[in-house]
């Protein structure tokens, strides 16, 4: 393990060092890499190489297993004809560079037409109808990731970390009860518009890090929450429900699951909330969670 990577946390500079080192081993030119996202992973586009590079944030002991699962899920989805993105298996992967695991994926050029929530609903319907894969998939449990984020929290107020820790502790038992009582199936785990791409006329569902087995209503939550939090129109949400065939807000467990999802969204943001827009948005989310304000507008970052 790279001690320097552990000490500095997950920064743009550290992720870029891992990118450069991994690309050097793989024979790729990284000088024109474009950072698309810095979140649970750092995601870079290399358009001239036709490659997207994912640098994993986590340096925990099970990261190898998680990355191997993500690659295996992608390959299985391709075998099923599911519209997703392919791992670049012509390149050596996964690679460890600068203490981080790095994977390579096909690059999908930007489209003039962005996929919408109706596309997401159709893709989720297709995903949920697939046979159970012959893979060892975990049961849905977002809490270990949230607890790890809280343990590693830095640059945010202690009272905010304490509040989120107490909120997670209150919600964890109820969440596991819901998971135990509801039918389980294949789920994406992080199904929102940000994980959609378009290739020609076809929408693609990407990012298989959170694929697991659990209540399939979990995949419907982000779009339902977006009505209150991110100003998704009621017309768009109605189209999502029609295309999928179910409105998750009518489910008995909706409020409990929504609470867990919002805690996950906030602890995710907390990782980069030391300054700038992320810090400002973190304040907004913390205020709304403290007040129990379900209609306070959040902003996607």
């Amino acid at each position: 393990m790279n001690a320097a990577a552990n000490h500095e946390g997950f920064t743009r500079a550290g992720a870029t060092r891992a990118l450069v080192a991994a690309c050097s081993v793989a024979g790729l030119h990284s000088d024109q890499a474009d950072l698309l996202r810095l979140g649970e992973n750092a995601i870079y586009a290399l358009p001239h190489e036709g490659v997207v590079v994912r640098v994993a944030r986590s340096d925990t002991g099970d990261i190898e297993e998680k990355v191997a699962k993500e690659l295996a899920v992608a390959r299985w989805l391709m075998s099923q004809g599911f519209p997703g993105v392919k791992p670049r298996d012509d390149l050596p992967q996964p690679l460890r560079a600068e203490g981080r695991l790095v994977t390579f994926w096909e690059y999908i050029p930007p489209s003039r037409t962005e996929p919408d929530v109706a596309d997401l609903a159709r893709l989720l319907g297709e995903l949920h109808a697939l046979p159970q894969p012959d893979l060892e998939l975990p049961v849905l449990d977002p809490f270990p990731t949230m607890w790890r984020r809280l343990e590693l929290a830095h640059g945010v107020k202690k009272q905010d970390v304490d509040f989120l820790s107490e909120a997670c502790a209150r919600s964890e038992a109820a969440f596991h009860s819901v998971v135990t009582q509801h039918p389980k199936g294949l789920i994406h785990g992080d199904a929102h518009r940000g994980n959609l791409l378009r290739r020609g006329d076809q929408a693609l569902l990407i990012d298989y890090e959170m694929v697991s087995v659990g209540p399939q209503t979990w995949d419907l939550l982000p779009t339902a929450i977006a009505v209150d939090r991110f100003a998704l129109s009621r017309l768009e949400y109605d189209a999502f429900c029609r295309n999928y065939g179910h409105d998750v807000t009518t489910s008995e467990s909706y409020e409990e699951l929504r609470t867990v999802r919002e805690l996950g969204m906030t602890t995710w943001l907390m990782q980069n909330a030391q300054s700038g827009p992320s810090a400002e948005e973190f304040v907004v989310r913390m205020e709304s969670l403290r007040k129990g304000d379900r209609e306070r507008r959040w902003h996607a970052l």
Side-chain angles (χ1 to χ4, degrees):
M1 190 68 66
N2 187 307
N6 284 338
H7 177 71
E8 73 173 351
F10 193 60
T11 64
R12 177 171 184 164
T16 299
R17 287 197 299 271
L19 164 81
V20 172
C23 286
S24 177
V25 172
L28 299 172
H29 297 288
S30 60
D31 53 314
Q32 296 185 35
D34 180 18
L35 179 62
L36 302 178
R37 186 186 307 175
L38 182 65
E40 209 59 40
N41 301 275
I43 304 177
Y44 295 86
L46 307 179
H48 294 297
E49 301 280 7
V51 175
V52 165
V53 184
R54 291 170 62 92
V55 180
R57 168 186 287 270
S58 174
D59 51 16
T60 57
D62 62 349
I63 186 60
E64 289 88 355
E65 181 180 338
K66 289 180 178 179
V67 169
K69 181 207 75 173
E70 185 175 9
L71 289 168
V73 167
R75 293 165 186 145
W76 180 81
L77 289 173
M78 293 302 105
S79 75
Q80 299 296 308
F82 184 81
V85 292
K86 300 175 183 178
R88 283 291 301 270
D89 287 333
D90 56 315
L91 300 171
Q93 68 170 328
L95 290 177
R96 183 170 286 280
E98 296 288 320
R100 307 286 175 187
L101 275 191
V102 179
T103 54
F104 305 101
W105 302 79
E106 68 171 322
Y107 171 71
I108 308 296
S111 172
R112 293 182 180 178
T113 306
E114 294 293 327
D116 58 24
V117 293
D119 293 312
L120 177 60
R122 286 189 290 271
L123 287 168
L124 288 177
E126 291 181 36
L127 180 75
H128 293 168
L130 289 174
Q132 192 73 19
D134 186 21
L135 302 170
E136 288 191 16
L137 295 178
V139 174
L140 173 68
D141 187 358
F143 283 92
T145 296
M146 289 195 281
W147 288 123
R148 175 178 56 80
R149 292 169 182 165
L150 291 164
E151 289 168 6
L152 298 176
H154 67 283
V156 294
K157 296 177 181 177
K158 181 179 183 299
Q159 55 262 43
D160 289 338
V161 177
D162 290 344
F163 175 86
L164 290 170
S165 298
E166 292 166 6
C168 286
R170 287 195 302 271
S171 298
E172 190 167 14
F175 173 82
H176 288 306
S177 177
V178 169
V179 171
T180 300
Q181 294 173 13
H182 282 62
K184 300 181 186 65
L186 178 67
I187 62 173
H188 179 272
D190 193 24
H192 55 81
R193 282 184 294 182
N195 280 330
L196 294 181
L197 294 175
R198 187 178 295 281
R199 178 168 49 204
D201 294 332
Q202 186 179 47
L204 310 174
L205 182 61
I206 67 171
D207 191 352
Y208 314 122
E209 184 176 8
M210 301 302 294
V211 168
S212 54
V213 176
Q216 292 180 326
T217 51
W218 180 259
D219 280 345
L220 310 181
L221 287 169
T223 307
I225 293 170
V227 175
D228 291 332
R229 294 303 195 191
F230 301 111
L232 181 71
S233 74
R234 176 57 61 176
L235 285 175
E236 289 178 284
Y237 183 65
D238 289 345
F240 174 85
C241 294
R242 284 196 307 273
N243 278 278
Y244 184 81
H246 178 63
D247 179 358
V248 68
T249 66
T250 64
S251 301
E252 184 177 332
S253 57
Y254 172 68
E255 292 299 331
E256 292 173 339
L257 292 178
R258 172 175 173 170
T259 295
V260 174
R261 176 71 189 177
E262 291 190 346
L263 288 172
M265 295 162 70
T266 304
T267 59
W268 174 84
L269 181 67
M270 179 187 68
Q271 297 174 116
N272 296 321
Q274 290 72 44
S275 62
S278 293
E280 296 170 5
E281 176 63 14
F282 184 66
V283 170
V284 169
R285 296 189 186 186
M286 290 303 302
E287 287 179 351
S288 67
L289 291 176
R290 280 193 168 94
K291 294 177 180 178
D293 184 350
R294 295 285 202 173
E295 297 182 359
R296 177 74 178 270
R297 286 284 187 262
W298 291 2
H299 306 89
L301 297 173

